[in-house]
Amino acid sequence: MRKIKYKKGRKLQHITLEYTGTHKEHEAEMQLFVYDDADVVEYEKFTVLALNSCFDYTKNNWLNIHGLNDINLIKTIGAHFKLDDFLLADILNTTKRTKLEEQQDVLFFNIKSLLPSENSDNISVEQLSFILKDGILISFQEKRSDFFTHIRERLRTHAGIVRTKKVDYLLYLLLDAVMENFYITLEDEEDKVEELINQTKKEAKPIILEKIENHRDNLNFLKRSIVPLRDSLYYLKTKKDDNDDNGLIQKETFNFFIRLHQKSLELLEQIESDMSALESASNFYFSEQSRKMNEIMKTLTIISAIFIPLTFIVGVYGMNFEYMPELKMKNGYFMVMGIMFLLVIALIIYFKKRRWF
């Protein structure tokens, strides 16, 4: 688990095949589903030795790869399916932004999957990549996770329409599952932001301002992750509007990708709303700090105003003149103290009537 920011990673050549992520302890595993409307075959412990024998190009084939440490495995997969080294480099380089790239017979899609970290205000991230070819979908995950468990179950049980569709519909389901993680992360951020706003109204502590900035960074990261996704989905939307059918995405499937584009817009709108709420919390914090400072200054000013005439009286009788008539009075001390006391009472009453405190 780590807090992710878009930062400058180590410079790599465009075709350098090197995994730049942090999940390097996960051993690479593969799983293959071969399915159609009538049947499904699942290969849980799939190996590269079975690439030629297990794929059925008359049906739909979904190859899911967990772990990107084994560079030779990635090269073998790329060579078997004739994938460009540029695509393989983008799969391994986790510092890249979400992108959609279309080649003659390949559609490449990579996306960041975000989830809230447990017992922390940080966000964990995993990069997922997808290669769509005719009858084949290859997905790459940095580590084993349960993002697609429900989709595998739907394939096994023939639930829904996934087995009646081509692999482009399966790509839609996988992307939709990843986008659900955005909703989970955003909902978690909203709960924390609401709690933070309530804390700010109760007591404006400096630690609250630090938390506000942390959540602002998280929302900014969410936004930077969704914007390129929105643009990629908009590209698919324009292809549908142009009635462009390249064979990889069926015309009837475009409508599902348009739904994803609409979801991305909804997410961005909600993020903007949450950013405004954080901005209000930040302004409230500074307003509360200013109010407290004003209260302190007002109290100190009133105390100073009360003691100014008393200081004047004390200063007068502290002068070293030999002939001061009050100095010889028997009850002079008590009279001056009484006058000073009455003066304080009068000033307090005056300030009260003017509502200065």
Side-chain angles (χ1 to χ4, degrees), residues 251-265:
K251 287 185 178 180
E252 61 269 19
T253 311
F254 275 114
N255 292 327
F256 296 104
F257 287 95
I258 292 174
R259 294 181 187 178
L260 295 182
H261 179 257
Q262 185 62 36
K263 282 187 175 183
S264 67
L265 296 178

Side-chain angles (χ1 to χ4, degrees), residues 95-288:
T95 63
K96 292 296 183 93
R97 290 179 40 159
T98 295
K99 66 180 293 188
L100 171 69
E101 185 171 335
E102 186 179 16
Q103 297 182 359
Q104 184 175 2
D105 59 344
V106 172
L107 186 68
F108 171 72
F109 211 122
N110 79 343
I111 186 174
K112 306 290 184 184
S113 175
L114 308 180
L115 281 173
S117 298
E118 295 181 4
N119 303 320
S120 172
D121 288 339
N122 297 338
I123 294 176
S124 64
V125 65
E126 178 186 349
Q127 177 170 288
L128 294 95
S129 303
F130 304 96
I131 297 288
L132 180 65
K133 292 174 65 73
D134 186 22
I136 300 171
L137 177 63
I138 310 173
S139 55
F140 300 84
Q141 298 179 246
E142 291 190 67
K143 60 184 180 66
R144 179 173 285 276
S145 58
D146 57 356
F147 300 157
F148 309 138
T149 301
H150 65 290
I151 298 176
R152 296 187 184 95
E153 195 61 28
R154 290 171 68 176
L155 285 172
R156 297 182 185 115
T157 61
H158 205 333
I161 61 173
V162 57
R163 279 174 47 182
T164 65
K165 297 286 187 178
K166 300 294 185 181
V167 287
D168 55 344
Y169 180 77
L170 178 61
L171 174 60
Y172 153 73
L173 290 179
L174 299 181
L175 291 175
D176 186 58
V178 175
M179 289 192 69
E180 285 301 315
N181 293 342
F182 283 104
Y183 282 100
I184 293 172
T185 304
L186 185 57
E187 183 178 354
D188 181 77
E189 283 295 315
E190 288 175 344
D191 291 341
K192 292 177 180 178
V193 167
E194 183 178 357
E195 180 181 353
L196 198 58
I197 292 174
N198 293 333
Q199 291 180 4
T200 305
K201 293 178 179 179
K202 291 179 181 178
E203 187 174 3
K205 296 181 179 179
I207 188 64
I208 292 179
L209 184 61
E210 181 180 345
K211 290 182 177 181
I212 288 175
E213 293 305 314
N214 288 339
H215 288 295
R216 198 194 310 275
D217 289 342
N218 287 345
L219 290 174
N220 276 323
F221 175 67
L222 274 167
K223 183 177 181 179
R224 291 196 301 270
S225 299
I226 296 172
V227 166
L229 174 62
R230 176 204 62 187
D231 296 339
S232 298
L233 293 170
Y234 180 76
Y235 169 76
L236 293 178
K237 179 178 181 293
T238 58
K239 287 177 65 65
K240 190 262 183 182
D241 294 339
D242 295 338
N243 294 318
D244 187 1
D245 186 359
N246 63 358
L248 294 177
I249 298 181
Q250 306 296 312
K251 287 185 178 180
E252 61 269 19
T253 311
F254 275 114
N255 292 327
F256 296 104
F257 287 95
I258 292 174
R259 294 181 187 178
L260 295 182
H261 179 257
Q262 185 62 36
K263 282 187 175 183
S264 67
L265 296 178
E266 293 173 358
L267 284 167
L268 288 173
E269 289 176 0
Q270 190 59 45
I271 288 174
E272 290 297 332
S273 175
D274 295 337
M275 292 284 284
S276 298
L278 272 182
E279 187 67 27
S280 299
S282 180
N283 292 336
F284 183 84
Y285 171 85
F286 287 112
S287 298
E288 186 66 13

Side-chain angles (χ1 to χ4, degrees), residues 297-309:
M297 294 303 298
K298 183 172 68 173
T299 301
L300 294 177
T301 301
I302 291 174
I303 293 174
S304 299
I306 290 174
F307 277 90
I308 284 175

Side-chain angles (χ1 to χ4, degrees), residues 297-356:
M297 294 303 298
K298 183 172 68 173
T299 301
L300 294 177
T301 301
I302 291 174
I303 293 174
S304 299
I306 290 174
F307 277 90
I308 284 175
L310 303 183
T311 304
F312 172 76
I313 295 174
V314 171
V316 169
Y317 286 98
M319 293 186 295
N320 294 321
F321 289 106
E322 182 177 357
Y323 300 103
M324 294 184 67
E326 292 85 354
L327 295 178
K328 302 299 182 179
M329 296 176 61
K330 182 177 181 180
N331 297 317
Y333 169 77
F334 301 103
M335 292 174 60
V336 172
M337 291 298 295
I339 292 172
M340 294 171 67
F341 177 77
L342 293 175
L343 185 58
V344 169
I345 297 299
L347 288 173
I348 291 176
I349 294 173
Y350 176 76
F351 293 153
K352 276 286 187 181
K353 286 187 175 181
R354 298 299 298 267
R355 297 181 179 179
W356 288 356

Side-chain angles (χ1 to χ4, degrees), residues 19-55:
Y19 175 54
T20 61
T22 60
H23 304 287
K24 297 183 179 180
E25 72 282 1
H26 296 277
E27 184 178 353
E29 300 176 356
M30 294 194 296
Q31 180 187 40
L32 175 65
F33 281 89
V34 180
Y35 66 93
D36 60 10
D37 189 21
D39 190 25
V40 59
V41 180
E42 179 180 355
Y43 302 90
E44 181 63 30
K45 299 294 183 181
F46 187 76
T47 65
V48 293
L49 299 177
L51 282 173
N52 292 320
S53 59
C54 293
F55 275 78

